[in-house]
Amino acid sequence: MKPSSSLLSPDNHALVLIDFEGQMGFATKSIALSELRTNAAIIAGTSSIFNVPTIVTTVAEQSFSGPVFPEIETFYPQATSGYIDRTTMNTWEDEAAYKAITGTGKQKLVMAGLWTGVCIVGPALSAMEEGYTVYVITDACGDVSTEAHERAVQRMVHAGVIPMTSIQYLLELQRDWARQDTYKPVTDLMKKYGGAYGIGIQYAHHMLTH
């Protein structure tokens, strides 16, 4: 009856959202931008629902990369969320970002962002070297080509990073549909962003009223 210690729970990890910005999105070719935005919304919404410590970091926001995706700002407004803007491509090498991430006190780190081969590989491998367990939400990452994304994921997995997907992240935190405090927010999030799964939930809820 005891769940695996490798599973994520709302209180055992921090989420790091890296460079979900317009300029980075324009060049992303490994995933459709519409799908990437949807998956970013799912993971940001998930962390908000479950009160997961979440760091939002950008690179050269004012001079090059532009503002974060609206889906991120929906759940983590810039005015109140303390976005950390960097010059470094590797988030782990930015002092403010490093202190924010390590300051959460969580030994498990979940990462997602753009681009997979640079802005995710860098902090993922760096955090692992300092003893952190790192998960990467691969369908909420993207790169300039499918080849670039896949080789980056492969490189991280070979190093010990744990890959997962956006809906997997959500359901791993919910874990039990009897958890009523989060049941409605979770199903509402899926109705809005969950594609076919969300339509199924909407259908089921509707049919149960008849």
Side-chain angles (χ1 to χ4, degrees), residues 28-184:
T28 295
K29 303 301 180 186
S30 62
I31 183 172
L33 190 55
S34 57
E35 184 179 354
L36 177 66
R37 291 178 63 182
T38 295
N39 294 340
I42 290 171
I43 62 174
T46 297
S47 69
S48 178
I49 290 167
F50 289 97
N51 297 310
V52 173
T54 299
I55 292 90
V56 180
T57 181
T58 57
V59 63
E61 179 190 0
Q62 296 297 321
S63 61
F64 179 74
S65 298
V68 301
F69 291 2
E71 292 77 11
I72 302 294
E73 182 136 20
T74 294
F75 297 101
Y76 292 101
Q78 184 166 15
T80 57
S81 299
Y83 295 179
I84 299 168
D85 194 49
R86 317 177 321 278
T87 59
T88 63
M89 286 180 273
N90 181 1
T91 294
W92 207 252
E93 295 180 57
D94 180 88
E95 184 176 6
Y98 178 82
K99 287 181 176 178
I101 296 166
T102 58
T104 65
K106 307 299 183 182
Q107 285 302 118
K108 295 180 189 293
L109 301 176
V110 179
M111 299 182 182
L114 304 174
W115 295 320
T116 322
V118 180
C119 303
I120 303 301
V121 165
L125 298 187
S126 301
M128 283 195 63
E129 197 159 296
E130 291 194 25
Y132 290 86
T133 302
V134 180
Y135 300 70
V136 169
I137 304 177
T138 57
D139 68 347
C141 296
D143 214 317
V144 296
S145 68
T146 300
E147 176 79 8
H149 173 75
E150 290 182 351
R151 294 296 77 74
V153 171
Q154 188 177 38
R155 179 182 179 186
M156 289 187 288
V157 169
H158 281 187
V161 171
I162 302 163
M164 63 190 311
T165 63
S166 53
I167 292 180
Q168 181 184 3
Y169 178 62
L170 170 70
L171 298 181
E172 196 159 315
L173 298 195
Q174 177 64 27
R175 198 87 59 80
D176 186 344
W177 292 120
R179 294 174 178 168
Q180 290 298 308
D181 287 349
T182 51
Y183 175 84
K184 187 176 188 304

